[in-house]
Amino acid sequence: MKEIIRSIVEDNTTKNGKIFDYFIQTLIMLSLISFSVETLPNNSSHVIKFLEYFEIFCIIIFSAEYILRILVSKRPLSYIFSFYGIIDLLAILPFYLRGTLDFRAIRAFRIFRVFRTLKLIRYNRALHRFHIAAKIVKEEIILFFIVTGILIFLSAAGIYFFENEAQPKVFASVFHSLWWAIVTLTTVGYGDVYPITVGGKIFTFFVLLIGVGVVTVPAGLVATSLSKAREIEEKERK
């Protein structure tokens, strides 16, 4: 019996396994829609009651699935502390803890359970390529974040020097200036904090030029690593 249940719950290559996975994925999507509808301000009492009943139904199914996965797993602890295990637990935990604190927002993490669907279709190879690409580009990405952190600090210190006297409330310290540095370097520029002095505007011009490079570097690194990952995958196939 345990082997039969394992073939349904864990093996999504079989017909019953695919049906089970598609059912769970459909229920996940419906529960996310239900969660979103629940946040609407003018829901009627009938809608609220229906959403509550539907949430209870989802919790029963998800809880049963979680327990089954633990029971049929060859290494239960490995599953419990794995990425999928933690996400599966977060999918049901808010319901059981709602008597203490409001953890309803955690239900949004159910979206990560959709990753199981990727095992059912051809995207499994794409995930493998991303895994290879992450290994290839790991050191460059770490170095990029270190350099970006240095640039953010220098930008915050620079704009503080130029704008502190003119705008003492907005640029009160280097820490206050960090928000401006982040949104400017990422070229977002919300417009809530901006320089008014000539020196500050010239400094901002150079920061924006650097920001264009900061935004494009990760995209180039990922594109190059994915191209290498595809080459490695082709060699492995041959």
Side-chain angles (χ1 to χ4, degrees), residues 106-198:
I106 298 178
R107 283 187 288 167
F109 282 98
R110 287 178 189 171
I111 190 68
F112 288 110
R113 298 196 69 204
V114 176
F115 278 114
R116 288 189 189 276
T117 312
L118 301 181
K119 291 183 178 181
L120 304 177
I121 44 181
R122 66 189 69 181
Y123 296 109
N124 198 30
R125 269 193 239 165
L127 284 175
H128 179 61
R129 281 196 295 273
F130 268 101
H131 181 67
I132 296 172
K135 285 184 177 179
I136 294 171
V137 82
K138 180 175 68 174
E139 292 178 359
E140 287 84 352
I141 289 293
I142 291 171
L143 179 62
F144 167 78
F145 278 115
I146 293 171
V147 172
T148 302
I150 293 170
L151 288 174
I152 288 172
F153 175 78
L154 290 176
S155 300
I159 201 66
Y160 168 76
F161 172 79
F162 285 109
E163 294 293 322
N164 175 249
E165 288 186 12
Q167 302 185 76
K169 290 184 179 179
V170 177
F171 297 97
S173 68
V174 172
F175 293 105
H176 289 83
S177 305
L178 282 172
W179 171 250
W180 174 90
I182 291 168
V183 298
T184 305
L185 265 176
T186 54
T187 67
V188 176
Y190 287 114
D192 54 342
V193 181
Y194 54 89
I196 58 174
T197 64
V198 176

Side-chain angles (χ1 to χ4, degrees), residues 18-49:
K18 284 184 179 180
I19 292 171
F20 176 79
D21 267 4
Y22 283 130
F23 170 70
I24 293 295
Q25 298 303 328
T26 303
L27 198 61
I28 289 168
M29 297 309 297
L30 289 174
S31 70
L32 290 171
I33 294 169
S34 170
F35 166 70
S36 302
V37 172
E38 191 179 307
T39 61
L40 292 173
N42 299 316
N43 287 326
S44 66
S45 59
H46 295 292
V47 172
I48 293 171
K49 194 160 288 263

Side-chain angles (χ1 to χ4, degrees), residues 212-233:
V212 173
V214 168
V215 171
T216 55
V217 166
L221 287 173
V222 171
T224 304
S225 61
L226 281 173
S227 178
K228 289 180 181 177
R230 189 178 286 274
E231 290 176 9
I232 292 169
E233 193 179 52

